[in-house]
Amino acid sequence: MGTPTPAERIFCAIDTPDRNQAIELASALKGAVGGFKLGKEFFTANGPDGVAEIAELGQRIFLDLKFHDIPNTVAGAVKAVMKLNCYMLTVHASGGRSMIRAAAEATSEETLPLIMAVTVLTSLNTKDLIEIGQKTPVEDQVLKLGKIAHESGANGLIASPKELKALRAALGPKCLLTVPGIRPLWASSNDQKRIMPPLEAIKAGADFLVIGRPITQAKDPKAAADRISAEIAEGYR
Ligand code: C5P
């Protein structure tokens, strides 16, 4: 993959079960972002047909269903996603080496979808991990799972902005890092607590940015996406 353009780095999170609203938004943003992230909310309401309909607009699809199951089941789910023309999908790194390898091998004859591994959910803190029997502090656990996923054939990781530098340093330039929790300085932080502006996240090592509400809830979503791209481009002048 060559260096993505600023717009290509942005995956707009379309978090709605409403298919018409999703199509309207995605149509308005066509060309202004690199693609759309569709998650459990959209998928559970609209299924593979809904994903295919958004994919027909010609933008990349990031299908965020966070698979976590026995290797054979995950491989089967990944193969089913391959029919949907998606650019990347997510699995939980905590599913272990064999599960991640099974996901990567399921796509081995194709270049896409990219397999992106989620390390530790950012909703969990060290106390939560101890409660479920994991004694490693969150930061160390993120690195540990990141290494396992990378060694097992995942193309990249989903990271929080504050983990970017450590993961990039540990895993090198080829591991694709995708981050949510991105907020331009002019946008509301909403319920996000640990946020980073787009350009800063790219400078810290992010390849792709997941941005939802700063774009989707703007009066003019396309103008908001264009403004973010322009700010990224400005940083590289
Ligand atoms: O609207 P906002 O930009 O906060 O949306 C971010 C997207 O990334 C949402 O789809 C959210 O579920 C997802 N996400 C996140 N933080 C994580 C993991 C996923 O915001 N740690």
Side-chain angles (χ1 to χ4, degrees):
M1 188 187 75
T3 307
T5 62
E8 279 170 355
R9 290 184 183 274
I10 304 170
F11 277 84
C12 180
I14 299 197
D15 292 317
T16 173
D18 184 326
R19 187 158 168 162
N20 290 335
Q21 195 189 332
I23 289 167
E24 197 178 311
L25 189 58
S27 306
L29 288 168
K30 192 169 152 58
V33 295
F36 303 110
K37 180 175 92 82
L38 299 173
K40 291 188 173 93
E41 193 175 349
F42 180 85
F43 188 82
T44 306
N46 298 292
D49 286 357
V51 175
E53 204 171 341
I54 303 280
E56 274 168 24
L57 295 169
Q59 298 278 119
R60 289 172 170 170
I61 301 293
F62 168 9
L63 192 61
D64 185 21
L65 298 180
K66 297 189 180 67
F67 295 142
H68 188 175
D69 212 313
I70 59 170
N72 187 56
T73 300
V74 168
V78 169
K79 287 205 166 119
V81 171
M82 287 168 76
K83 300 194 176 110
L84 299 178
N85 198 15
C86 291
Y87 183 71
M88 56 188 179
L89 62 81
T90 44
V91 300
H92 271 290
S94 53
R97 283 182 198 277
S98 327
M99 190 207 80
I100 300 162
R101 196 164 290 124
E105 282 172 3
T107 66
S108 60
E109 285 169 23
E110 307 279 341
T111 50
L112 297 178
L114 300 173
I115 305 291
M116 308 294 285
V118 175
T119 55
V120 179
L121 291 171
T122 47
S123 51
L124 299 175
N125 60 24
T126 299
K127 191 166 157 265
D128 295 316
L129 292 190
I130 289 170
E131 193 175 27
I132 58 171
Q134 255 170 30
K135 300 210 171 56
T136 322
V138 170
E139 296 73 23
D140 299 349
Q141 185 68 5
V142 166
L143 271 181
K144 190 194 253 186
L145 287 171
K147 280 183 195 154
I148 289 173
H150 187 59
E151 287 164 10
S152 308
N155 300 99
L157 302 172
I158 310 300
S160 91
K162 68 169 203 142
E163 292 154 2
L164 280 170
K165 281 192 177 153
L167 287 169
R168 182 57 77 210
L171 303 176
K174 284 202 180 137
C175 181
L176 293 169
L177 299 178
T178 299
V179 280
I182 299 300
R183 286 293 179 273
L185 295 174
W186 42 265
S188 156
S189 57
N190 307 110
D191 53 358
Q192 296 280 14
K193 293 203 177 75
R194 291 191 300 262
I195 54 178
M196 197 178 268
L199 180 62
E200 204 180 307
I202 289 167
K203 289 195 164 161
D207 295 286
F208 297 115
L209 311 175
V210 173
I211 309 179
R213 289 161 291 179
I215 296 175
T216 59
Q217 292 186 3
K219 270 205 190 111
D220 182 343
K222 183 181 178 313
D226 287 342
R227 187 171 174 190
I228 295 170
S229 289
E231 285 172 9
I232 296 171
E234 190 62 34
Y236 282 93
R237 239 180 257 281

